[in-house]
mmCIF file of all heavy atoms in Angstrom:
data_model
loop_
_atom_site.group_PDB
_atom_site.id
_atom_site.type_symbol
_atom_site.label_atom_id
_atom_site.label_comp_id
_atom_site.label_asym_id
_atom_site.label_seq_id
_atom_site.Cartn_x
_atom_site.Cartn_y
_atom_site.Cartn_z
ATOM 1 N N VAL A 29 9.644 24.051 8.222
ATOM 2 C CA VAL A 29 9.371 22.615 8.284
ATOM 3 C C VAL A 29 8.837 22.188 6.923
ATOM 4 O O VAL A 29 7.804 22.682 6.481
ATOM 5 C CB VAL A 29 8.343 22.277 9.393
ATOM 6 C CG1 VAL A 29 8.042 20.785 9.403
ATOM 7 C CG2 VAL A 29 8.842 22.744 10.749
ATOM 8 N N TRP A 30 9.552 21.292 6.279
ATOM 9 C CA TRP A 30 9.115 20.740 4.997
ATOM 10 C C TRP A 30 8.732 19.284 5.216
ATOM 11 O O TRP A 30 9.552 18.465 5.603
ATOM 12 C CB TRP A 30 10.229 20.823 3.958
ATOM 13 C CG TRP A 30 10.617 22.215 3.556
ATOM 14 C CD1 TRP A 30 9.981 23.381 3.866
ATOM 15 C CD2 TRP A 30 11.744 22.586 2.770
ATOM 16 N NE1 TRP A 30 10.651 24.443 3.327
ATOM 17 C CE2 TRP A 30 11.736 23.992 2.639
ATOM 18 C CE3 TRP A 30 12.777 21.872 2.164
ATOM 19 C CZ2 TRP A 30 12.704 24.687 1.931
ATOM 20 C CZ3 TRP A 30 13.744 22.555 1.457
ATOM 21 C CH2 TRP A 30 13.698 23.952 1.334
ATOM 22 N N ARG A 31 7.504 18.960 4.962
ATOM 23 C CA ARG A 31 7.021 17.577 5.114
ATOM 24 C C ARG A 31 7.178 16.875 3.765
ATOM 25 O O ARG A 31 6.195 16.651 3.069
ATOM 26 C CB ARG A 31 5.602 17.584 5.637
ATOM 27 C CG ARG A 31 5.534 18.103 7.058
ATOM 28 C CD ARG A 31 4.128 18.370 7.552
ATOM 29 N NE ARG A 31 4.177 18.972 8.870
ATOM 30 C CZ ARG A 31 4.270 20.291 9.082
ATOM 31 N NH1 ARG A 31 4.323 21.135 8.067
ATOM 32 N NH2 ARG A 31 4.315 20.765 10.318
ATOM 33 N N LEU A 32 8.422 16.552 3.436
ATOM 34 C CA LEU A 32 8.750 16.010 2.122
ATOM 35 C C LEU A 32 8.572 14.504 2.017
ATOM 36 O O LEU A 32 8.541 13.968 0.916
ATOM 37 C CB LEU A 32 10.215 16.332 1.773
ATOM 38 C CG LEU A 32 10.585 17.802 1.661
ATOM 39 C CD1 LEU A 32 12.077 17.944 1.357
ATOM 40 C CD2 LEU A 32 9.757 18.473 0.587
ATOM 41 N N LEU A 33 8.473 13.826 3.147
ATOM 42 C CA LEU A 33 8.426 12.368 3.140
ATOM 43 C C LEU A 33 7.086 11.847 3.616
ATOM 44 O O LEU A 33 6.407 12.482 4.416
ATOM 45 C CB LEU A 33 9.524 11.802 4.041
ATOM 46 C CG LEU A 33 10.954 12.105 3.643
ATOM 47 C CD1 LEU A 33 11.906 11.668 4.752
ATOM 48 C CD2 LEU A 33 11.301 11.426 2.335
ATOM 49 N N ARG A 34 6.772 10.660 3.130
ATOM 50 C CA ARG A 34 5.610 9.945 3.652
ATOM 51 C C ARG A 34 6.024 8.497 3.880
ATOM 52 O O ARG A 34 6.902 7.974 3.185
ATOM 53 C CB ARG A 34 4.415 10.029 2.707
ATOM 54 C CG ARG A 34 4.622 9.364 1.382
ATOM 55 C CD ARG A 34 3.421 9.576 0.442
ATOM 56 N NE ARG A 34 3.727 9.110 -0.877
ATOM 57 C CZ ARG A 34 3.521 7.863 -1.302
ATOM 58 N NH1 ARG A 34 2.994 6.957 -0.484
ATOM 59 N NH2 ARG A 34 3.840 7.503 -2.524
ATOM 60 N N ARG A 35 5.435 7.890 4.873
ATOM 61 C CA ARG A 35 5.687 6.470 5.147
ATOM 62 C C ARG A 35 4.631 5.709 4.374
ATOM 63 O O ARG A 35 3.441 5.802 4.668
ATOM 64 C CB ARG A 35 5.590 6.211 6.657
ATOM 65 C CG ARG A 35 5.703 4.765 7.077
ATOM 66 C CD ARG A 35 7.144 4.338 7.214
ATOM 67 N NE ARG A 35 7.222 2.906 7.405
ATOM 68 C CZ ARG A 35 7.824 2.330 8.431
ATOM 69 N NH1 ARG A 35 8.409 3.062 9.346
ATOM 70 N NH2 ARG A 35 7.851 1.031 8.530
ATOM 71 N N ARG A 36 5.050 4.983 3.347
ATOM 72 C CA ARG A 36 4.067 4.339 2.480
ATOM 73 C C ARG A 36 3.825 2.877 2.821
ATOM 74 O O ARG A 36 2.866 2.289 2.344
ATOM 75 C CB ARG A 36 4.481 4.478 1.020
ATOM 76 C CG ARG A 36 5.757 3.771 0.664
ATOM 77 C CD ARG A 36 6.056 3.950 -0.799
ATOM 78 N NE ARG A 36 7.340 3.359 -1.129
ATOM 79 C CZ ARG A 36 7.905 3.491 -2.289
ATOM 80 N NH1 ARG A 36 7.322 4.201 -3.223
ATOM 81 N NH2 ARG A 36 9.057 2.928 -2.524
ATOM 82 N N ARG A 37 4.703 2.281 3.591
ATOM 83 C CA ARG A 37 4.534 0.880 3.946
ATOM 84 C C ARG A 37 4.474 0.752 5.453
ATOM 85 O O ARG A 37 5.327 1.257 6.153
ATOM 86 C CB ARG A 37 5.709 0.065 3.382
ATOM 87 C CG ARG A 37 5.394 -1.392 3.197
ATOM 88 C CD ARG A 37 6.490 -2.112 2.429
ATOM 89 N NE ARG A 37 7.828 -1.938 2.962
ATOM 90 C CZ ARG A 37 8.270 -2.461 4.095
ATOM 91 N NH1 ARG A 37 7.476 -3.184 4.840
ATOM 92 N NH2 ARG A 37 9.502 -2.267 4.489
ATOM 93 N N HIS A 38 3.428 0.073 5.929
ATOM 94 C CA HIS A 38 3.250 -0.117 7.363
ATOM 95 C C HIS A 38 3.911 -1.428 7.770
ATOM 96 O O HIS A 38 3.760 -2.441 7.110
ATOM 97 C CB HIS A 38 1.761 -0.148 7.691
ATOM 98 C CG HIS A 38 1.454 -0.181 9.155
ATOM 99 N ND1 HIS A 38 1.944 0.755 10.033
ATOM 100 C CD2 HIS A 38 0.712 -1.030 9.894
ATOM 101 C CE1 HIS A 38 1.501 0.485 11.251
ATOM 102 N NE2 HIS A 38 0.764 -0.599 11.188
ATOM 103 N N GLY A 39 4.657 -1.399 8.840
ATOM 104 C CA GLY A 39 5.310 -2.609 9.345
ATOM 105 C C GLY A 39 5.373 -2.539 10.846
ATOM 106 O O GLY A 39 4.877 -1.584 11.460
ATOM 107 N N PRO A 40 6.007 -3.523 11.450
ATOM 108 C CA PRO A 40 6.123 -3.492 12.906
ATOM 109 C C PRO A 40 6.987 -2.311 13.344
ATOM 110 O O PRO A 40 7.840 -1.855 12.584
ATOM 111 C CB PRO A 40 6.794 -4.828 13.245
ATOM 112 C CG PRO A 40 7.437 -5.286 11.981
ATOM 113 C CD PRO A 40 6.654 -4.684 10.852
ATOM 114 N N PRO A 41 6.764 -1.798 14.540
ATOM 115 C CA PRO A 41 7.605 -0.696 15.033
ATOM 116 C C PRO A 41 9.070 -1.119 15.056
ATOM 117 O O PRO A 41 9.391 -2.249 15.431
ATOM 118 C CB PRO A 41 7.086 -0.436 16.446
ATOM 119 C CG PRO A 41 5.746 -1.086 16.518
ATOM 120 C CD PRO A 41 5.761 -2.201 15.520
ATOM 121 N N GLN A 42 9.942 -0.212 14.675
ATOM 122 C CA GLN A 42 11.376 -0.506 14.662
ATOM 123 C C GLN A 42 11.868 -0.961 16.032
ATOM 124 O O GLN A 42 12.718 -1.826 16.138
ATOM 125 C CB GLN A 42 12.165 0.730 14.221
ATOM 126 C CG GLN A 42 12.032 1.060 12.750
ATOM 127 C CD GLN A 42 12.697 0.041 11.853
ATOM 128 O OE1 GLN A 42 12.083 -0.909 11.409
ATOM 129 N NE2 GLN A 42 13.965 0.250 11.598
ATOM 130 N N ALA A 43 11.325 -0.348 17.082
ATOM 131 C CA ALA A 43 11.782 -0.671 18.440
ATOM 132 C C ALA A 43 11.528 -2.127 18.800
ATOM 133 O O ALA A 43 12.189 -2.669 19.677
ATOM 134 C CB ALA A 43 11.095 0.244 19.448
ATOM 135 N N SER A 44 10.592 -2.778 18.111
ATOM 136 C CA SER A 44 10.282 -4.171 18.431
ATOM 137 C C SER A 44 11.158 -5.159 17.673
ATOM 138 O O SER A 44 11.043 -6.363 17.881
ATOM 139 C CB SER A 44 8.810 -4.456 18.118
ATOM 140 O OG SER A 44 8.595 -4.456 16.708
ATOM 141 N N LEU A 45 12.033 -4.658 16.791
ATOM 142 C CA LEU A 45 12.831 -5.544 15.944
ATOM 143 C C LEU A 45 14.294 -5.572 16.366
ATOM 144 O O LEU A 45 14.838 -4.555 16.783
ATOM 145 C CB LEU A 45 12.763 -5.070 14.487
ATOM 146 C CG LEU A 45 11.386 -5.067 13.844
ATOM 147 C CD1 LEU A 45 11.472 -4.440 12.461
ATOM 148 C CD2 LEU A 45 10.825 -6.470 13.758
ATOM 149 N N PRO A 46 14.942 -6.724 16.185
ATOM 150 C CA PRO A 46 16.388 -6.764 16.417
ATOM 151 C C PRO A 46 17.094 -5.971 15.318
ATOM 152 O O PRO A 46 16.574 -5.804 14.213
ATOM 153 C CB PRO A 46 16.728 -8.257 16.338
ATOM 154 C CG PRO A 46 15.610 -8.885 15.573
ATOM 155 C CD PRO A 46 14.394 -8.024 15.816
ATOM 156 N N ALA A 47 18.273 -5.492 15.607
ATOM 157 C CA ALA A 47 19.003 -4.623 14.680
ATOM 158 C C ALA A 47 19.097 -5.162 13.256
ATOM 159 O O ALA A 47 18.861 -4.404 12.312
ATOM 160 C CB ALA A 47 20.393 -4.328 15.243
ATOM 161 N N PRO A 48 19.405 -6.431 13.026
ATOM 162 C CA PRO A 48 19.547 -6.902 11.647
ATOM 163 C C PRO A 48 18.259 -6.806 10.819
ATOM 164 O O PRO A 48 18.309 -6.676 9.605
ATOM 165 C CB PRO A 48 19.967 -8.361 11.795
ATOM 166 C CG PRO A 48 20.521 -8.484 13.168
ATOM 167 C CD PRO A 48 19.796 -7.457 13.986
ATOM 168 N N ARG A 49 17.095 -6.849 11.459
ATOM 169 C CA ARG A 49 15.828 -6.802 10.722
ATOM 170 C C ARG A 49 15.330 -5.385 10.475
ATOM 171 O O ARG A 49 14.411 -5.177 9.692
ATOM 172 C CB ARG A 49 14.762 -7.574 11.502
ATOM 173 C CG ARG A 49 15.072 -9.065 11.527
ATOM 174 C CD ARG A 49 13.881 -9.985 11.503
ATOM 175 N NE ARG A 49 12.682 -9.490 10.914
ATOM 176 C CZ ARG A 49 11.490 -9.540 11.520
ATOM 177 N NH1 ARG A 49 11.369 -10.024 12.724
ATOM 178 N NH2 ARG A 49 10.411 -9.090 10.897
ATOM 179 N N ARG A 50 15.924 -4.390 11.122
ATOM 180 C CA ARG A 50 15.426 -3.025 10.994
ATOM 181 C C ARG A 50 15.562 -2.481 9.579
ATOM 182 O O ARG A 50 14.647 -1.857 9.065
ATOM 183 C CB ARG A 50 16.119 -2.107 11.995
ATOM 184 C CG ARG A 50 15.687 -2.425 13.415
ATOM 185 C CD ARG A 50 16.406 -1.574 14.429
ATOM 186 N NE ARG A 50 16.013 -1.994 15.758
ATOM 187 C CZ ARG A 50 15.718 -1.176 16.736
ATOM 188 N NH1 ARG A 50 15.793 0.116 16.561
ATOM 189 N NH2 ARG A 50 15.372 -1.635 17.909
ATOM 190 N N ARG A 51 16.703 -2.690 8.944
ATOM 191 C CA ARG A 51 16.891 -2.194 7.573
ATOM 192 C C ARG A 51 15.918 -2.864 6.610
ATOM 193 O O ARG A 51 15.337 -2.211 5.753
ATOM 194 C CB ARG A 51 18.328 -2.389 7.117
ATOM 195 C CG ARG A 51 19.262 -1.443 7.819
ATOM 196 C CD ARG A 51 20.592 -1.268 7.134
ATOM 197 N NE ARG A 51 21.531 -0.585 8.004
ATOM 198 C CZ ARG A 51 21.541 0.705 8.245
ATOM 199 N NH1 ARG A 51 20.668 1.495 7.689
ATOM 200 N NH2 ARG A 51 22.434 1.240 9.068
ATOM 201 N N ALA A 52 15.731 -4.166 6.742
ATOM 202 C CA ALA A 52 14.794 -4.881 5.872
ATOM 203 C C ALA A 52 13.364 -4.376 6.075
ATOM 204 O O ALA A 52 12.606 -4.254 5.116
ATOM 205 C CB ALA A 52 14.865 -6.388 6.149
ATOM 206 N N ASN A 53 13.005 -4.052 7.297
ATOM 207 C CA ASN A 53 11.674 -3.538 7.600
ATOM 208 C C ASN A 53 11.412 -2.195 6.914
ATOM 209 O O ASN A 53 10.272 -1.846 6.643
ATOM 210 C CB ASN A 53 11.517 -3.395 9.119
ATOM 211 C CG ASN A 53 10.122 -2.973 9.528
ATOM 212 O OD1 ASN A 53 9.129 -3.536 9.090
ATOM 213 N ND2 ASN A 53 10.046 -1.966 10.378
ATOM 214 N N LEU A 54 12.469 -1.456 6.624
ATOM 215 C CA LEU A 54 12.322 -0.117 6.041
ATOM 216 C C LEU A 54 12.527 -0.080 4.536
ATOM 217 O O LEU A 54 12.429 0.976 3.925
ATOM 218 C CB LEU A 54 13.306 0.844 6.711
ATOM 219 C CG LEU A 54 13.012 1.101 8.178
ATOM 220 C CD1 LEU A 54 14.132 1.896 8.809
ATOM 221 C CD2 LEU A 54 11.688 1.810 8.341
ATOM 222 N N ARG A 55 12.809 -1.235 3.921
ATOM 223 C CA ARG A 55 13.034 -1.249 2.480
ATOM 224 C C ARG A 55 11.792 -0.712 1.763
ATOM 225 O O ARG A 55 10.693 -1.187 1.970
ATOM 226 C CB ARG A 55 13.351 -2.670 2.024
ATOM 227 C CG ARG A 55 14.025 -2.709 0.668
ATOM 228 C CD ARG A 55 14.645 -4.051 0.360
ATOM 229 N NE ARG A 55 15.800 -4.297 1.209
ATOM 230 C CZ ARG A 55 15.905 -5.332 2.037
ATOM 231 N NH1 ARG A 55 14.963 -6.213 2.138
ATOM 232 N NH2 ARG A 55 16.995 -5.473 2.776
ATOM 233 N N ARG A 56 11.981 0.332 0.997
ATOM 234 C CA ARG A 56 10.916 1.010 0.227
ATOM 235 C C ARG A 56 9.768 1.506 1.113
ATOM 236 O O ARG A 56 8.635 1.605 0.669
ATOM 237 C CB ARG A 56 10.403 0.110 -0.887
ATOM 238 C CG ARG A 56 11.441 -0.186 -1.945
ATOM 239 C CD ARG A 56 10.915 -1.040 -3.072
ATOM 240 N NE ARG A 56 10.495 -2.378 -2.678
ATOM 241 C CZ ARG A 56 11.302 -3.402 -2.431
ATOM 242 N NH1 ARG A 56 12.586 -3.257 -2.543
ATOM 243 N NH2 ARG A 56 10.818 -4.570 -2.089
ATOM 244 N N ALA A 57 10.057 1.795 2.373
ATOM 245 C CA ALA A 57 9.011 2.257 3.292
ATOM 246 C C ALA A 57 8.735 3.749 3.150
ATOM 247 O O ALA A 57 7.646 4.209 3.477
ATOM 248 C CB ALA A 57 9.400 1.943 4.730
ATOM 249 N N TYR A 58 9.711 4.526 2.660
ATOM 250 C CA TYR A 58 9.544 5.981 2.556
ATOM 251 C C TYR A 58 9.548 6.419 1.098
ATOM 252 O O TYR A 58 10.236 5.837 0.264
ATOM 253 C CB TYR A 58 10.661 6.713 3.316
ATOM 254 C CG TYR A 58 10.611 6.441 4.796
ATOM 255 C CD1 TYR A 58 11.447 5.503 5.379
ATOM 256 C CD2 TYR A 58 9.700 7.109 5.607
ATOM 257 C CE1 TYR A 58 11.389 5.240 6.728
ATOM 258 C CE2 TYR A 58 9.630 6.843 6.961
ATOM 259 C CZ TYR A 58 10.475 5.909 7.514
ATOM 260 O OH TYR A 58 10.412 5.633 8.855
ATOM 261 N N ALA A 59 8.784 7.458 0.838
ATOM 262 C CA ALA A 59 8.727 8.039 -0.502
ATOM 263 C C ALA A 59 8.517 9.532 -0.356
ATOM 264 O O ALA A 59 8.140 10.022 0.716
ATOM 265 C CB ALA A 59 7.582 7.431 -1.308
ATOM 266 N N LEU A 60 8.750 10.256 -1.441
ATOM 267 C CA LEU A 60 8.469 11.692 -1.420
ATOM 268 C C LEU A 60 6.976 11.903 -1.297
ATOM 269 O O LEU A 60 6.191 11.186 -1.911
ATOM 270 C CB LEU A 60 8.960 12.355 -2.707
ATOM 271 C CG LEU A 60 10.434 12.616 -2.821
ATOM 272 C CD1 LEU A 60 10.724 13.343 -4.132
ATOM 273 C CD2 LEU A 60 10.948 13.436 -1.665
ATOM 274 N N SER A 61 6.586 12.884 -0.539
ATOM 275 C CA SER A 61 5.161 13.190 -0.402
ATOM 276 C C SER A 61 4.751 14.289 -1.361
ATOM 277 O O SER A 61 3.586 14.610 -1.465
ATOM 278 C CB SER A 61 4.843 13.616 1.034
ATOM 279 O OG SER A 61 5.525 14.809 1.339
ATOM 280 N N VAL A 62 5.722 14.845 -2.074
ATOM 281 C CA VAL A 62 5.442 15.959 -2.977
ATOM 282 C C VAL A 62 4.836 15.407 -4.254
ATOM 283 O O VAL A 62 5.485 14.707 -5.013
ATOM 284 C CB VAL A 62 6.737 16.747 -3.290
ATOM 285 C CG1 VAL A 62 6.458 17.864 -4.251
ATOM 286 C CG2 VAL A 62 7.351 17.261 -2.007
#
């Protein structure tokens, strides 16, 4: 198990969003944790 990623931006849960807004919610949300 390699924990290479971190979630750097907090936003609403994906499950609460309609499909078109999900990608926008994740823009720059993940980064390398290394």
Side-chain angles (χ1 to χ4, degrees):
V29 178
W30 294 350
R31 293 170 185 88
L32 298 178
L33 297 171
R34 64 184 171 89
R35 175 84 189 236
R36 65 179 176 187
R37 203 171 53 71
H38 187 55
Q42 288 291 92
S44 70
L45 298 174
R49 292 214 26 231
R50 290 177 184 224
R51 288 198 192 283
N53 185 49
L54 294 172
R55 199 166 291 121
R56 295 182 297 282
Y58 296 99
L60 282 183
S61 64
V62 178

